Amino acid sequence: MRSRAIAAATAILSVATFVTGLLSLDRQIEGPFAVTKASASMPSSSFPADKEIAKILAERIDIRRESVGIVVGTIGPHGRSIVAHGKFGANDPRKVDGNTVYEIGSITKGFTGLLLADMVASGEVGLDDPLAKYMPEGVTMPERAGKSITLADLATHHSSLPSLPDDLEPPDTLNPYAAYTTEQLYRFLSRYQLPRDIGADFEYSNTGFGLLGHALARRAGVDYETLVTQRITNPLGMSSTAITLSPELAGRMATGHNGDLQPVPNWDLPAIAGAGALRSSANDLLNLLAMAVSTEKSPLSDAVAAASVKRKPVNDGTQVGLAWMITESSSGDIVWHSGGTGGFVSFFGFHPASRTGVVVLSNSDADVNDIGMHLLNRDIPLSEPKPKPVEAVIDPKLLDGYVGRYQLAPKMVFDITRDGDKLFAQLTDQPRFRLFPEGGHRFFYKDVEAAITFTQADASPSPSLTLHQFGEHISAPRVTD
């Protein structure tokens, strides 16, 4: 459980909502993939009535105040349905609907996995091809024990690459990936030392998927967005799915919001687009689901089947295919991925046995995975509301005792700093986030669902801290230099 919680912290803190997970490109995704295993009873394969789904959304928006606008799309033998509640933004009263555009974060990884499967089927690349084969001359790829990172290693999060490059130092934490360039990524790869054998363990890696998308685009001779357009969105009629928004799409783009439902900027991921850069609508994603659950053959049917094959373990009950997570449930496997950026979260999943699928899009950073999983299998419960912490007033002099470095794991250190009367935390390879005082030496994040408690000492400084996230409590002792 400790290692899973640490992996969760890496994926989520890295992306402010990525699992699951960044970019959080996930919420993720989830530790980024925490999913409750369902009971043994067999649920009905039909969805709840639209009015029941509408009640769920109304509770999240009007009562819990967890989002501003949520859209749910369902598809199955009964046909398609869109249920929406809320508005485009705190300052935009337009009602959201099936054509509203959202950032989908790490669901982009699912598109990258499909591209890989399709290009393998056409003989353009091989799963066991080394990543180095598709990198420019002069760019050195990290190796270990005589083994090279393959495309399959990247697609299953077994490359041993970190969640994010360790030289990511965003000048703007509200858009943390915008300034990071492909040249910086190449320099990072040329000097990075892999901490474990390739293929040994699952470690959710936005770096890896950014590289996979980049490699596939280089092989095809186009940029990543063009490759997605040519191979997936154009064939499936997904005209509202893009990275670069036309004026018409920008006009349908919802505003993202943080945990306090304050508007936040959109994210840009030029160097690692394949990890989380896409925007889309519920109607567009239903087109992708329609192909995934159909019994009829389509140009991408084989790619979906290949991407949905269980290839490597993630945790108890979940394995990873080519990007897609496959989780056991009482009614059979559920294939899914979640996504999250600074102001959006999303879920995309389908249940092959009943040929049903669900997409959930929200313009805030509160998790919606439970809604998607519950609609696919009602034995999986909806989450209970969580009380929101209230910011307390403390003596700024106390902050000096918290400042320092704390060892969370062998290669993960919290760097706690202060700026005036504000306290900040930065985990290794992650952006810096502000900590807000809750009282009793406890601080909470507004960017992610996590908190930190410093150990009280008879005299400063604090000897350790405890990270609270996903029900886990992980101690990190102060590092003595």
Side-chain angles (χ1 to χ4, degrees):
M1 291 300 291
R2 178 181 174 85
S3 62
R4 175 178 170 187
I6 289 173
T10 303
I12 300 303
L13 290 176
S14 70
V15 291
T17 98
F18 268 178
V19 305
T20 232
L22 125 227
L23 247 162
S24 162
L25 287 180
D26 291 293
R27 273 322 252 197
Q28 125 210 24
I29 8 356
E30 192 183 16
F33 307 105
V35 176
T36 303
K37 288 188 74 174
S39 66
S41 63
M42 289 297 290
S44 168
S45 62
S46 63
F47 293 113
D50 284 357
K51 64 179 181 180
E52 296 301 319
I53 298 176
K55 287 181 181 179
I56 295 172
L57 305 190
E59 179 185 3
R60 298 297 170 98
I61 294 171
D62 302 333
I63 299 176
R64 295 195 194 183
R65 299 286 297 161
E66 291 181 354
S67 184
V68 176
I70 303 176
V71 181
V72 170
T74 60
I75 190 168
H78 68 291
R80 299 184 182 212
S81 180
I82 292 285
V83 180
H85 188 81
K87 55 186 182 179
F88 270 61
N91 304 314
D92 188 340
R94 290 179 294 166
K95 293 183 178 180
V96 295
D97 59 25
N99 292 319
T100 305
V101 177
Y102 291 74
E103 290 182 350
I104 63 172
S106 285
I107 290 176
T108 303
K109 293 180 175 69
F111 284 73
T112 304
L114 290 179
L115 290 174
L116 173 60
D118 187 56
M119 293 176 73
V120 168
S122 64
E124 296 166 85
V125 301
L127 286 178
D128 294 328
D129 286 353
L131 171 62
K133 180 177 180 179
Y134 303 105
M135 291 292 104
E137 185 176 350
V139 177
T140 301
M141 292 295 106
E143 298 184 349
R144 186 178 169 103
K147 187 178 187 311
S148 300
I149 296 171
T150 68
L151 301 187
D153 294 325
L154 297 173
T156 58
H157 296 287
H158 278 71
S159 66
S160 195
L161 289 169
S163 174
L164 293 169
D166 60 15
D167 59 350
L168 176 65
E169 298 178 353
D172 181 4
T173 57
L174 292 178
N175 191 2
Y177 308 98
Y180 195 77
T181 66
T182 301
E183 289 69 28
Q184 284 177 282
L185 183 61
Y186 288 162
R187 289 198 296 271
F188 160 76
L189 291 168
S190 295
R191 63 165 177 77
Y192 186 72
Q193 300 294 314
L194 298 176
R196 71 184 66 83
D197 289 347
I198 296 166
D201 294 301
F202 176 91
E203 180 179 357
Y204 192 85
S205 179
N206 293 302
T207 306
F209 260 88
L211 281 167
L212 179 58
H214 182 66
L216 296 177
R218 282 184 53 81
R219 172 64 181 86
V222 296
D223 60 64
Y224 177 79
E225 182 173 19
T226 299
L227 186 61
V228 171
T229 300
Q230 292 176 345
R231 304 293 183 102
I232 299 176
T233 61
N234 274 356
L236 297 180
M238 300 173 66
S239 59
S240 296
T241 302
I243 296 174
T244 306
L245 299 182
S246 67
E248 192 273 332
L249 286 180
R252 291 196 272 122
M253 180 82 196
T255 300
H257 301 80
N258 63 20
D260 289 332
L261 300 188
Q262 297 299 311
V264 295
N266 292 339
W267 276 10
D268 301 293
L269 296 86
I272 53 172
L278 286 171
R279 289 97 181 218
S280 190
S281 69
N283 276 332
D284 258 28
L285 292 173
L286 283 181
N287 283 0
L288 182 55
L289 279 172
M291 182 271 300
V293 302
S294 175
T295 57
E296 297 181 6
K297 193 78 169 176
S298 81
L300 286 169
S301 296
D302 290 341
V304 171
S308 303
V309 172
K310 297 176 181 177
R311 297 176 187 272
K312 295 280 188 175
V314 175
N315 55 40
D316 183 28
T318 297
Q319 296 192 50
V320 61
L322 301 180
W324 296 101
M325 299 295 148
I326 304 100
T327 294
E328 301 171 3
S329 83
S330 61
S331 59
D333 289 343
I334 293 174
V335 182
W336 65 283
H337 212 292
S338 61
T341 56
F344 298 85
V345 293
S346 53
F347 174 90
F348 177 102
F350 59 97
H351 183 254
S354 62
R355 294 192 294 115
T356 56
V358 171
V359 57
V360 185
L361 303 176
S362 174
N363 60 352
S364 84
D365 67 357
D367 190 22
V368 296
N369 281 10
D370 65 306
I371 296 176
M373 297 298 281
H374 176 73
L375 293 178
L376 289 170
N377 183 331
R378 276 176 278 173
D379 282 348
I380 301 174
L382 293 167
S383 67
E384 296 293 329
K386 300 177 182 177
K388 291 192 174 182
V390 177
E391 185 175 354
V393 177
I394 65 171
D395 184 349
K397 294 179 181 178
L398 294 173
L399 300 183
D400 286 332
Y402 306 138
V403 170
R405 301 173 70 244
Y406 300 81
Q407 192 84 45
L408 187 70
K411 294 184 179 295
M412 295 176 66
V413 175
F414 268 117
D415 189 12
I416 306 297
T417 57
R418 69 171 292 184
D419 183 356
D421 62 353
K422 299 180 176 65
L423 196 68
F424 295 86
Q426 184 171 19
L427 191 62
T428 301
D429 298 342
Q430 312 301 337
R432 186 178 76 153
F433 294 110
R434 184 180 172 188
L435 297 174
F436 295 84
E438 191 176 351
H441 302 280
R442 183 181 173 100
F443 291 75
F444 65 94
Y445 290 87
K446 290 185 178 180
D447 301 277
V448 295
E449 292 184 14
I452 284 176
T453 300
F454 294 91
T455 303
Q456 184 176 2
D458 295 335
S460 293
S462 175
S464 65
L465 64 76
T466 301
L467 171 67
H468 311 281
Q469 191 174 30
F470 299 111
E472 299 292 326
H473 309 285
I474 309 169
S475 178
R478 177 181 287 273
V479 177
T480 302
D481 296 320

